């Protein structure tokens, strides 16, 4: 049986991009709670890209970090989210977990 999409987020990455990324990670998992399992890796990638852009308010291809006040919990760089982290590490990690889940189902 395939897991739910939020289960792909259960194990956090070993390293984050910026201090707001863990909060966005959790927010994305919560937003995907009732989303059906995608039919392909491409569909998952598109879904994650769109959700990132919706929640972060910037394109995933934007080279500059963005400040999300709702994820600012104290500290100098609090609330900062790295699109590079999401593009290069987080989304590929989630797609790899999706691939592994599909292979073992």
């Amino acid at each position: 049986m395939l897991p739910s999409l939020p289960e792909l987020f259960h194990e956090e990455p070993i390293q984050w991009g910026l201090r707001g990324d863990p909060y966005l990670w959790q927010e994305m998992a919560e937003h995907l709670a009732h989303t059906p399992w995608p039919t392909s890796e491409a569909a998952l990638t598109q879904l994650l890209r769109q959700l990132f852009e919706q929640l972060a308010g910037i394109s995933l291809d934007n080279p500059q970090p963005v400040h999300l006040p709702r994820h600012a919990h104290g500290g100098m760089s609090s609330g900062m989210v790295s699109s590079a982290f999401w593009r290069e590490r987080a989304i590929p990690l989630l797609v790899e977990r999706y691939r592994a889940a599909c292979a073992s189902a």
Side-chain angles (χ1 to χ4, degrees), residues 11-91:
E11 187 179 337
E12 295 181 341
I14 295 170
Q15 186 175 16
W16 297 101
L18 295 172
R19 293 180 70 185
D21 290 321
Y23 299 102
L24 183 58
W25 178 271
Q26 182 61 40
E27 185 179 17
M28 288 181 73
E30 291 168 4
H31 269 79
L32 294 170
H34 302 291
T35 302
W37 191 257
T39 57
S40 67
E41 289 179 28
L44 175 64
T45 301
Q46 180 179 2
L47 174 67
L48 295 171
R49 287 182 68 92
Q50 289 174 341
L51 185 56
F52 172 87
E53 292 177 0
Q54 173 191 339
L55 297 176
I58 63 168
S59 168
L60 194 59
D61 298 320
N62 187 323
Q64 300 300 317
V66 64
H67 182 258
L68 301 179
R70 70 184 178 277
H71 294 314
H73 301 284
M76 247 173 94
S77 62
S78 183
M80 296 300 290
V81 169
S82 168
S83 56
F85 165 76
W86 285 91
R87 184 178 58 251
E88 297 166 12
R89 291 187 179 185
I91 291 177

